Amino acid sequence: MSKRADIAAATPLDGCDVRMVDPERVVAVRAVMPDAEAVNDLAEVFSVLADPGRVRIITALLEGGEMCVCDLAAVCASSESSVSHALRLLRAGRVVTVRRSGRMAYYRLADSHVRLLLDLALTHFGHETSANRETLPGPDAR
């Protein structure tokens, strides 16, 4: 065995030599951590949003307000069946709500918090893309 392999075997790379460097900070952060139910609910919302088709639908609702399935399908270039299925998941995740008028169903974002979450995410990725364009050298730079 090489000397490097001996060192790697003796020192785990993914562990800490000290179990707690700043115990006061650990206690303070633990005190404000959400409970297990809130963490599970949050993870569920993010998993519902983790699909490009559903993101298109919620973005369409963000931009267009209340819309029916057929209009959402046209905007998203998807079938009504796939949009309807996605809306079922989004309703179960409390991301969208539905209003019925006769035989028609109109969907909208559940509340302003969903709107805020989407706006922040879009701004975040737009900002990141702009920052990358500013810092990356152009094709002529060598």
Side-chain angles (χ1 to χ4, degrees):
M1 204 188 258
S2 72
K3 196 171 225 179
R4 179 177 270 173
D6 289 339
I7 292 170
T11 309
L13 298 177
D14 61 349
C16 292
D17 291 336
V18 179
R19 287 290 130 206
M20 208 181 307
V21 174
D22 191 344
E24 292 84 19
R25 183 176 298 193
V26 170
V27 169
V29 172
R30 277 190 176 171
V32 296
M33 290 289 289
D35 63 20
E37 185 178 344
V39 169
N40 288 335
D41 289 346
L42 185 59
E44 185 178 317
V45 167
F46 281 117
S47 71
V48 166
L49 299 177
D51 174 79
R54 293 191 293 265
V55 170
R56 281 188 204 90
I57 291 168
I58 58 178
T59 303
L61 293 172
L62 175 67
E63 297 299 328
E66 191 175 76
M67 297 176 78
C68 68
V69 173
C70 53
D71 288 348
L72 283 167
V75 167
C76 298
S78 296
S79 70
E80 289 181 26
S81 175
S82 67
V83 168
S84 181
H85 176 71
L87 287 166
R88 235 183 339 268
L89 295 173
L90 290 167
R91 276 184 64 201
R94 299 177 308 211
V95 174
V96 301
T97 59
V98 64
R99 177 183 64 85
R100 299 202 183 276
S101 178
R103 294 183 62 189
M104 295 296 293
Y106 296 93
Y107 293 86
R108 65 182 175 276
L109 295 178
D111 58 31
S112 61
H113 298 112
V114 175
R115 239 174 235 292
L116 180 62
L117 181 63
L118 294 172
D119 280 338
L120 286 172
L122 290 169
T123 301
H124 169 72
F125 288 110
H127 170 75
E128 185 176 271
T129 303
S130 298
N132 287 345
R133 272 192 237 124
E134 292 170 10
T135 59
L136 292 177
D140 297 333
R142 292 190 195 259

